[in-house]
Amino acid sequence: MRTIELYVNTGTCEHCHRALFTELSAVPGVWRVRLDAASGRVTFQALAPVDRAEIEAAVADAGFELRAWR
């Protein structure tokens, strides 16, 4: 298991944050999604290798833009 850190553009509404949490949580291998809205920092635990394209699609489907992957 490893921690993945992303940075996304952020909105302030709770609905948007829930959408991002829901989309990312649906990606196989993703667990414990956390979002710091002030900085746009998103972290999650990867229980297995995760497909970057699936993560990018989940972020986009939630209405966010992936700005960095660390």
Side-chain angles (χ1 to χ4, degrees):
M1 179 169 42
R2 70 179 204 152
T3 300
I4 306 290
E5 181 177 271
L6 311 173
Y7 285 87
V8 300
N9 65 324
T10 60
T12 57
C13 83
E14 184 64 30
H15 171 76
C16 294
H17 296 169
R18 277 194 309 261
L20 181 61
F21 176 83
T22 300
E23 292 291 336
L24 284 173
S25 295
V27 174
V30 171
W31 186 55
R32 288 195 178 178
V33 176
R34 305 250 193 275
L35 168 64
D36 176 37
S39 68
R41 180 176 181 250
V42 178
T43 59
F44 62 85
Q45 299 297 312
L47 298 176
V50 293
D51 183 344
R52 184 177 175 137
E54 285 187 59
I55 297 297
E56 290 174 353
V59 170
D61 288 348
F64 289 80
E65 178 185 346
L66 182 62
R67 304 180 84 177
W69 176 291
R70 297 192 177 136

